[in-house]
Amino acid sequence: MPLPLYLLAMAVFAMGTSEFMLAGLLPDIASDFDVTVGAAGVLTSAFAIGMVIGAPLVAALARNWPRRSSLLAFILTFAAAHAAGAVTTSFPVLFATRVAAALANAGFLAVALTAAATLVPLDKKGRALAVLLSGTTVATIAGVPGGSVLGTVLGWRATFWAVAALCLPAALGVLKGIPGGQLRAEATGGPVLRAELALLTRPRLILVMLLGALVNGATFGSFTFLAPVVTDTAGLSELWISVVLVLFGAGSFVGVTVAGRLSDQRPGLVIAVGGPLLLVGWLVLAVLADRPVALCTLVFGQGALSFALGSTLITRVLYEAAPARTMAGSYATAALNIGAVVGPLVAATTLSTEAGALGPLWASGLLVGVALLIAFPLRTSVVAGRSAEVLQ
């Protein structure tokens, strides 16, 4: 894999850390700004919604910019938003910085996904995506727990400063490693924006975007609410929350790495095997979550299966949207983050039911089950499409 892919992954690591780090910082933020934890929680929703809306919007605005310039602008905007958030004493301003950071993140990821696909041969998009998404998985392994510890020791503002600092070497890497000027497809006059947007009417593209959103919704629905499962259901101390999150992140890294080698040539195999195993895993985890050893083992496995299946489906989005040379990455980003918005909302509704802390796990199983019910009768369409000769 070319070096620029790893430089892009470094930026994705910083951005992934920011997206997930608030889970451990909300109580301190709420106390600092004299708001409720629930009110502080809108910062998380603002970021996710900004990602969904921002991906196609910002990608459309930046479609004619040179690739390196746009990536660099997004990283520096993201860093500036975190620096502003670290010094503000106004909650509305902090809210605004989260929206700005989300838009920059969405724009960067949309452009980076498209760039990653153009840096490798046609039949290696899945491996390129795996390298890029490894930044997110490493963020869940190291960035989020590290940010939580830093916030505990030095305060939540220190975590914001740390994320801003992480962006600087990533910006330098993009500046040095991404070719300047426009890509060949752009320079020769790619399809007009209307034609790229028209691809969203393609049934196969809609199908794989829906499946990606459902699987990702299941992933983030349970990931968001793992803490009460660890402390309330399994009866472990709060220190074990970070351990369980790290296990989930480690599993996700394994899953996205393995799937990266299969999602180009054998996506049907990943979906056919990984989908049912992921469904069964959520249900078994809901039943055995009160047993610490089973909890830790299953969390690792679910992290691996979730990201293996999810990254494969997002790769399918890139294949189906390939004619949209500047917007394909935004469609993949939107599918990824629609799940990140909807999944936790669905999971949250189960917390007040008899299922309690286990409700999100059952909800995740339901979301994966719906995805499988949709995918099974249409399985040929899911893995068909551009470059089908290497995908069968």
Side-chain angles (χ1 to χ4, degrees), residues 206-280:
I206 295 173
L207 172 61
V208 291
M209 288 180 69
L210 174 61
L211 295 177
L214 285 169
V215 170
N216 198 55
T219 302
F220 285 95
S222 285
F223 180 81
T224 302
F225 298 104
L226 271 179
V229 175
V230 174
T231 55
D232 299 345
T233 305
L236 299 172
S237 68
E238 291 185 357
L239 292 176
W240 278 91
I241 295 175
S242 294
V243 175
V244 172
L245 292 178
V246 168
L247 286 172
F248 186 92
S252 67
F253 181 79
V254 171
V256 79
T257 301
V258 173
R261 299 180 178 277
L262 296 174
S263 58
D264 289 310
Q265 283 76 26
R266 305 294 298 277
L269 177 64
V270 177
I271 295 170
V273 175
L277 287 177
L278 182 61
L279 169 60
V280 172

Side-chain angles (χ1 to χ4, degrees), residues 131-160:
V131 171
L132 196 63
L133 290 183
S134 68
T136 298
T137 60
V138 173
T140 62
I141 298 170
V144 175
S148 179
V149 171
L150 185 62
T152 300
V153 176
L154 298 177
W156 66 269
R157 296 178 188 274
T159 304
F160 273 62

Side-chain angles (χ1 to χ4, degrees), residues 32-33 79-91 93-95 97 155-162 164:
D32 199 4
F33 287 95
H82 282 77
V87 299
T88 186
T89 57
S90 167
F91 188 77
V93 171
L94 180 61
F95 181 91
T97 66
W156 66 269
R157 296 178 188 274
T159 304
F160 273 62
W161 280 118

Side-chain angles (χ1 to χ4, degrees), residues 125 196 199-200 202 205 208-209 315-329 331-332 386:
K125 286 185 179 182
E196 295 198 30
L199 288 175
L200 287 172
R202 284 188 174 184
L205 177 57
V208 291
M209 288 180 69
T315 301
R316 299 306 310 144
V317 174
L318 290 176
Y319 273 116
E320 292 297 335
R325 294 170 180 169
T326 62
M327 296 296 291
Y331 301 156
R386 191 176 183 188

